[in-house]
Amino acid sequence: MNKLGKIKTLTIASLSAVALAAPIAFAQSTTTTQDTPQATGQRHGEHGKGWGGRRGGRMGGMMFAGMNLTDDQKAKMKEIGQSFRESTKSLREQLRAKRQELRQASEGGTFNEALATQKLQESAGLQAKLMGEQFRMRQQMLSVLTPEQKTQLEQKRAEFKAKRANHGERKVQ
């Protein structure tokens, strides 16, 4: 596999991992299941940007929905999420800038492979840092849960994985 192919694979793998971790990363929702878009029949947020009016807004909260979090737990989750967003703001801005630079590497009908490779490598490093921060945030959120809630969360994850596996099988058939 050539060098660019390895970098693309690494970038795709990193982004995939973030996409899978993102729902947990944004798990600071303080709504009840009655307030969720599914319960109200609302498919998208107010401005069409996804759940709750912003990308990723409530999807993380869905994992904690129905877990009977106390008001204190909800407040701690929200605080952890806010702290994460503040502490990773510059990192996310750097990633956004690298992606823009990468797009510019192919503008005008020409492709600068050396520049693209450099930007992908820089992005991969930043992405790895962000994933580390997301993992730390997830661990902080899990520490807020009681042992019973952690067991309940693991059951929900297992059910989700089973549904996802079944969904994939149906598409193949």
Side-chain angles (χ1 to χ4, degrees):
M1 188 183 300
N2 65 26
K3 189 174 183 177
L4 186 59
K6 288 180 184 177
I7 293 169
K8 284 182 181 176
T9 302
L10 176 63
T11 302
I12 291 169
S14 297
L15 293 174
S16 297
V18 170
L20 292 172
I24 294 170
F26 296 104
Q28 71 278 349
S29 174
T30 59
T31 61
T32 63
T33 55
Q34 289 82 19
D35 295 341
T36 61
Q38 292 95 342
T40 60
Q42 180 184 1
R43 286 192 56 134
H44 292 288
E46 194 175 300
H47 303 289
K49 294 180 185 174
W51 301 102
R54 61 173 201 229
R55 273 181 36 194
R58 289 192 189 169
M59 285 307 289
M62 296 302 290
M63 284 303 280
F64 292 107
M67 293 186 62
N68 298 323
L69 296 177
T70 65
D71 289 340
D72 185 48
Q73 286 176 313
K74 290 176 186 178
K76 286 179 182 175
M77 294 281 193
K78 188 173 185 176
E79 182 181 320
I80 291 168
Q82 184 64 34
S83 174
F84 169 79
R85 282 187 298 282
E86 290 171 7
S87 69
T88 60
K89 183 177 182 180
S90 68
L91 192 55
R92 288 180 284 119
E93 288 172 352
Q94 290 174 44
L95 261 172
R96 199 172 298 120
K98 293 297 175 200
R99 289 182 187 127
Q100 179 60 35
E101 292 169 10
L102 183 60
R103 281 189 291 275
Q104 291 172 350
S106 64
E107 282 182 355
T110 61
F111 179 70
N112 184 337
E113 186 173 346
L115 180 62
T117 300
Q118 175 191 353
K119 297 305 172 188
L120 284 169
Q121 287 174 337
E122 292 169 1
S123 294
L126 293 170
Q127 191 69 41
K129 287 180 186 177
L130 184 59
M131 288 172 68
E133 291 298 315
Q134 288 171 328
F135 182 78
R136 183 157 38 99
M137 180 197 59
R138 180 177 180 270
Q139 294 304 92
Q140 290 174 340
M141 287 184 164
L142 288 174
S143 72
V144 172
L145 300 177
T146 65
E148 295 81 18
Q149 289 170 327
K150 288 178 185 177
T151 301
Q152 196 176 6
L153 183 61
E154 287 303 317
Q155 290 170 345
K156 282 183 150 194
R157 280 192 193 136
E159 290 171 10
F160 177 76
K161 284 182 181 181
K163 275 185 183 178
R164 205 163 107 187
N166 289 339
H167 182 70
E169 288 174 11
R170 285 194 308 244
K171 278 188 174 180
V172 172
Q173 293 172 352

